[in-house]
Amino acid sequence: MAEISARGEKAALAAVRKAHEIVHAGRGQHRITDLTKTSFEDVRSSYFRLFVPVKSERMRLPTSLPEFSEFRHHAALSDSPVTAAATLGGHWSEHNLAAITHVAACNFRCSYCYVDYRLLAGDHARRTTAGEIVTNFVDIRRRLAEDGQWLSILRVSGGEPLLAPDLITEVHQELDRRGLLDSCMVKVESNLSALPYSYGRLDRNSRAALRDVSPQITLHATLHAKPGERDWPLVRQGLALAVDLGMDVYPAIGGADWTMADMRALFDALQSVARGLVHRLAVRPFNLSYAERHGRRPALKEAAGRPPSLSASAAWEVLLQERTGDFYLARPRHVIGLR
């Protein structure tokens, strides 16, 4: 069993290395997906597409807020605008728009991913710099403002953005250089598994720069592996490193095939990293209807270890009640300290 585990961890790390090579183009450049060559909606340039985080008709709601709490077991939690308002001021509805750029590789191939697998292997990639990304963001922001729309969230997605933590640092630094950090912020979506390797590849100055900006980086981290699975060691190491760096971490799981035993193991693992993580965890359904999913493995079925009538978020609430006495999403996640 130890030999199988060792082979699995070696394969997981090999996938990270391969994706890392794709993303890093040399001479301060990184590869992002040319969005004009994709089927994403609301593409505004090669660099960015627009996305509305909270959308009631899609049941994406800030369910940690009192006015939406009744939907916490039925809707997908979407609280990016809430955390943006907490940082930048104003009401969350004023921040309900994000410009998303996609790093052009990922070490995972999740069956429920909404991104075409070819894009996760570097297809339709273009070389760019942080300066070019921010310049394009500012241009889109200006044009939206002329139409009466406010854009405050620059979201780095993928692919896997933490294959290139130096790019995150440089984008933040560029926003700071242009005096924009009082009106917009950087958010990152990650599977966490690539961070230990990519951080280890940074030089001393780049590590110091990342540590300097990390407390101002909002990190939405989806845990695509369960404790005990092949990729879990890298995911847990990445989670611990992100917390150590000072990133504002918001973990999530899809929950579709997590048994109660899986969730208990996750509860213990999260608490061992930082006690606040169990209260920040979002348990949300993944939308499996994306066209990109067609032809992949069959949709994950409800696991036998949990009664079918008990939703994944309700199961997590049972654990929270047992261990802490709290309800699921009893408070907005940004008011919960990690430590």
Side-chain angles (χ1 to χ4, degrees), residues 111-303:
S111 63
Y112 42 78
C113 185
Y114 65 90
V115 180
D116 189 309
Y117 282 171
R118 292 172 298 176
L119 304 181
L120 304 182
D123 279 18
H124 301 313
R126 63 173 297 159
R127 296 185 179 199
T128 192
T129 64
E132 291 168 348
I133 289 172
V134 173
T135 293
N136 196 256
F137 174 78
V138 170
D139 183 55
I140 292 172
R141 195 169 183 250
R142 176 186 54 76
R143 283 185 272 131
L144 287 169
E146 290 172 355
D147 292 332
Q149 293 180 274
W150 181 249
L151 175 64
S152 59
I153 299 174
L154 193 167
R155 196 159 110 187
V156 188
S157 188
E160 174 45 51
L162 291 184
L163 287 162
D166 47 335
L167 176 62
I168 307 302
T169 299
E170 292 161 11
V171 166
H172 189 278
Q173 289 174 330
E174 187 66 19
L175 289 172
D176 189 19
R177 187 182 69 79
R178 302 187 190 203
L180 294 173
L181 290 181
D182 60 343
S183 60
C184 57
M185 62 189 300
V186 179
K187 296 206 171 193
V188 176
E189 293 180 303
S190 173
N191 66 43
L192 292 171
S193 65
L195 180 58
Y197 177 80
S198 56
Y199 181 75
R201 299 277 294 179
L202 299 177
D203 61 34
R204 180 182 298 180
N205 290 338
S206 296
R207 289 188 186 187
L210 178 61
R211 283 192 173 273
D212 184 55
V213 306
S214 283
Q216 299 174 73
I217 299 297
T218 301
L219 175 61
H220 289 264
T222 302
L223 312 180
H224 295 291
K226 304 173 191 173
E229 292 184 341
R230 185 196 78 168
D231 293 293
W232 175 253
L234 289 182
V235 170
R236 191 197 179 283
Q237 292 167 28
L239 178 62
L241 179 54
V243 171
D244 179 67
L245 288 170
M247 293 180 180
D248 194 18
V249 181
Y250 296 89
I253 61 172
D257 65 338
W258 286 65
T259 67
M260 282 299 293
D262 293 331
M263 288 191 170
R264 291 183 189 280
L266 177 63
F267 193 102
D268 292 338
L270 292 178
Q271 279 212 319
S272 72
V273 174
R275 295 188 66 83
L277 288 172
V278 298
H279 298 284
R280 284 190 170 202
L281 182 74
V283 183
R284 62 192 185 191
F286 284 136
N287 184 342
L288 299 180
S289 64
Y290 296 109
E292 288 78 2
R293 261 203 93 257
H294 296 168
R296 297 179 186 170
R297 294 193 304 272
L300 298 173
K301 296 181 179 180
E302 193 77 4

Side-chain angles (χ1 to χ4, degrees), residues 317-332:
E317 183 167 83
V318 168
L319 276 179
L320 284 173
Q321 286 276 286
E322 286 178 357
R323 304 283 187 92
T324 71
D326 277 345
F327 291 96
Y328 173 60
L329 299 181
R331 291 164 287 166

Side-chain angles (χ1 to χ4, degrees), residues 41-58:
E41 296 179 355
D42 211 354
V43 171
R44 298 302 176 101
S45 70
S46 296
Y47 296 85
F48 286 103
R49 66 184 179 94
L50 295 183
F51 177 73
V52 179
V54 174
K55 215 167 193 178
S56 57
E57 62 268 28
R58 295 294 298 274

